[in-house]
Amino acid sequence: MFEEKGYKLIDLNLGFEDLVIKTFEECIRLNNIQKRIDNGVSIPCYGVYMEYLTAVIHREYLTSIIEKETDLKLIPTYSYIRKYFQGSVLDYHTDRNPCEISLSYCISGPEWEIGMGDNIVKTKIGNGVIYKGCEISHGRAKPSSGEVIQVFSHWVISDGAKSNSAYDDGKNKEFYRKMPSKPKWQTAETFDISDKGVKF
């Protein structure tokens, strides 16, 4: 379906949604981020580029999920999180090169229609839409009925024409390539407190 239509609605429900909301709101508070008109959104909103938790989720969880859903080998570029307010609409648009494959994932708020070309799908908490961001014109013409928080994650196809935009034209390369190492947990035999005659 994805290759044919250029978009696909999926269920995620990763279980991190409440924590993402809290860290996003804390980021806004600590950094004194102000509402602003953001990329075609009709009402000033909050937006954060590469908020740390959403970026980690992008790197550690979403990339492998979206690769399976699209049957593509992907390189991450960046993540973004935005809070829309009641009455917001989003102008139809296509995205820049680092958004070759995109995911818009709803983590808070009411169901809301998003247009994908001539088609309409609805996003609600726990689901998202994967789409070809540079090819398909997308937007939200119907005003939101309440506050909505969406997480956006973006990729390029590893052997595709836009692969030179990997890591958002290289800006995020160190973050995405620095995968955390697995902790080396010590075994019970490791700890020996000889002077106390206790062995763990």
Side-chain angles (χ1 to χ4, degrees):
M1 176 182 172
F2 176 77
E3 186 55 41
E4 178 187 343
K5 291 190 172 182
Y7 70 89
K8 182 179 184 180
L9 197 64
I10 62 168
D11 288 320
L12 285 167
N13 291 302
L14 295 176
F16 308 118
E17 293 80 8
D18 288 345
L19 184 57
V20 172
I21 293 165
K22 287 175 183 173
T23 59
F24 172 55
E25 291 177 345
E26 189 72 356
C27 178
I28 290 168
R29 186 183 69 81
L30 289 174
N31 294 287
N32 195 29
I33 294 170
Q34 302 298 308
K35 294 180 194 175
R36 63 187 177 90
I37 294 293
D38 189 15
N39 294 329
V41 181
S42 63
I43 293 174
C45 60
Y46 291 116
V48 178
Y49 176 89
M50 291 293 287
E51 186 279 323
Y52 191 72
L53 182 56
T54 59
V56 169
I57 292 169
H58 185 197
R59 183 182 70 189
E60 301 298 321
Y61 296 92
L62 290 173
T63 297
S64 60
I65 291 170
I66 303 309
E67 284 181 330
K68 287 177 185 175
E69 292 287 345
T70 60
D71 198 26
L72 294 168
K73 182 65 179 170
L74 302 173
I75 304 173
T77 57
Y78 72 96
S79 65
Y80 193 80
I81 183 168
R82 181 186 288 148
K83 182 176 185 178
Y84 300 88
F85 290 88
Q86 184 172 355
S88 294
V89 297
L90 174 64
D91 292 343
Y92 272 75
H93 63 285
T94 55
D95 297 326
R96 60 194 184 92
N97 284 348
C99 311
E100 185 174 21
I101 304 296
S102 295
L103 169 71
S104 182
Y105 176 32
C106 181
I107 63 168
S108 176
E111 185 176 84
W112 194 13
E113 293 182 356
I114 182 168
M116 290 284 152
D118 295 329
N119 301 305
I120 299 289
V121 296
K122 293 181 180 179
T123 55
K124 59 185 179 181
I125 295 173
N127 82 353
V129 58
I130 313 165
Y131 54 99
K132 296 181 179 180
C134 304
E135 293 181 28
I136 294 185
S137 180
H138 51 281
R140 296 184 186 266
K142 184 175 181 179
S144 168
S145 62
E147 295 181 1
V148 176
I149 300 177
Q150 295 278 143
V151 174
F152 302 92
S153 299
H154 304 285
W155 299 265
V156 290
I157 300 169
S158 63
D159 60 353
K162 295 177 173 57
S163 61
N164 61 346
S165 291
Y167 314 113
D168 200 1
D169 299 322
K171 288 195 293 279
N172 303 316
K173 187 173 184 178
E174 183 178 351
F175 174 83
Y176 282 113
R177 294 195 68 179
K178 187 177 180 182
M179 302 299 284
S181 60
K182 302 243 185 249
K184 295 179 181 175
W185 298 109
Q186 294 174 312
T187 62
E189 291 75 25
T190 303
F191 300 95
D192 187 359
I193 307 177
S194 302
D195 62 332
K196 298 192 177 187
V198 178
K199 196 170 191 175
F200 294 94

